[in-house]
Amino acid sequence: MKKHHLQRLAAVVLALTMLFSICLPLSAGKPIRAYYHVSTTEKAIALTFDDGPHPRFTDSILEILEKEKIPATFFVIGSNVEAYPDVMQRVITAGHEIGNHTYRHPIVKTVTDEEMAWEIDKTDEILRSIGYSGNGLFRPPQGKFSDTLPALLEKTNKTAILWNIDTRDWAHTPSEEIVSTIEKNVCGGDIILFHDYVSGESTTIPAIKKLIPMLKERGYQFVTVSELLSLRDS
Ligand SMILES: [Zn+2]
């Protein structure tokens, strides 16, 4: 085969891989309840915000969500909830969904099973103390698993929620690039990863300001992760 034929074949394979990795329910066949994406015929998507609550960006994100009248899901770090209960309270009062993202944000493999169980329980306990009873959603830091995490999640009755579109806002990806990546790849059932805390400046806020009206225009509705799960095709 000539070189340019091989290059074209490689491009087609890459395009197909991207399409399927973005649109298919990658949770299929996993031994635990873990979702990267939800298989649904609805044009519904879930925006998720990790690593808050934090006074630097969470309130600005809440303002945009309020203006657009859409819900989102916040995967919170327990120690931040403890440090900024007022910010957390505003997220709860606004009606958004909260998921557990551990207490100190350790990568799962770097701690013992007992420590990880404590991270999850402690965060649930803090959330309960400020009036939020858990919905069983959990997101492991960096989306990483260990061999023993599935059993722990099973025991604590948690569903792992990952994502199929990483905006890379944590790496300060320019907002225009975030918008165009989502514009090209979005489809119903997507779970999109953003952060309401990053070190340095955030590109999340200008990105969602453009993105939400653009996706509404294209007929997408915004739902919480739990609502998205309830829209699963049977
Ligand atoms: Zn995180």
Side-chain angles (χ1 to χ4, degrees):
M1 203 181 284
K2 284 182 184 165
K3 194 178 168 197
H4 71 274
H5 284 151
L6 278 172
Q7 282 170 341
R8 187 179 293 178
L9 182 65
V12 169
V13 169
L14 179 67
L16 284 173
T17 308
M18 284 178 70
L19 182 71
F20 283 106
S21 65
I22 285 160
C23 293
L24 286 182
L26 303 182
S27 56
K30 287 207 169 192
I32 54 159
R33 290 176 297 167
Y35 295 90
Y36 294 82
H37 173 274
V38 171
S39 180
T40 177
T41 50
E42 302 286 328
K43 271 184 103 173
I45 55 175
L47 300 185
T48 65
F49 296 92
D50 286 14
D51 297 355
H54 198 281
R56 284 184 64 216
F57 305 121
T58 306
D59 283 309
S60 304
I61 290 170
L62 286 179
E63 263 174 45
I64 298 165
L65 299 175
E66 159 98 51
K67 184 171 163 268
E68 296 289 351
K69 300 198 174 4
I70 64 164
T73 302
F74 290 77
F75 286 93
V76 299
I77 297 176
S79 56
N80 278 352
V81 180
E82 218 167 39
Y84 310 112
D86 49 335
V87 184
M88 185 77 270
Q89 201 62 62
R90 288 196 282 278
V91 179
I92 295 169
T93 306
H96 299 294
E97 179 164 60
I98 315 297
N100 187 321
H101 193 40
T102 74
Y103 180 74
R104 292 168 303 189
H105 205 265
I107 306 306
V108 177
K109 279 185 179 167
T110 65
V111 292
T112 65
D113 288 354
E114 289 72 27
E115 284 167 334
M116 185 47 71
W118 180 87
E119 292 273 340
I120 296 171
D121 287 348
K122 176 80 178 162
T123 302
D124 276 348
E125 185 191 309
I126 297 164
L127 284 170
R128 271 196 307 272
S129 75
I130 60 165
Y132 191 87
S133 51
N135 51 17
L137 301 183
F138 175 75
R139 177 171 278 169
Q142 295 185 8
K144 292 193 173 147
F145 278 79
S146 66
D147 292 343
T148 51
L149 184 62
L152 178 59
L153 296 183
E154 194 71 50
K155 214 163 86 184
T156 51
N157 206 24
K158 296 267 184 239
T159 301
I161 303 297
L162 289 303
W163 56 85
N164 68 311
I165 297 185
D166 179 359
T167 62
R168 293 182 55 83
D169 59 344
W170 49 271
H172 308 110
T173 300
S175 59
E176 301 76 23
E177 202 177 314
I178 293 176
V179 173
S180 81
T181 302
I182 295 176
E183 196 175 10
K184 282 182 211 143
N185 297 308
V186 69
C187 60
D190 282 348
I191 301 172
I192 303 179
L193 172 68
F194 281 106
H195 290 80
D196 61 324
Y197 178 77
V198 290
S199 61
E201 284 312 305
S202 166
T203 56
T204 314
I205 292 163
I208 62 170
K209 269 187 186 163
K210 283 185 213 147
L211 191 67
I212 297 169
M214 185 266 286
L215 292 177
K216 276 183 173 173
E217 184 97 342
R218 286 175 56 177
Y220 284 95
Q221 57 161 322
F222 295 84
V223 295
T224 63
V225 167
S226 292
E227 286 166 341
L228 192 64
L229 292 174
S230 74
L231 296 173
R232 254 174 303 169
D233 293 337
S234 49

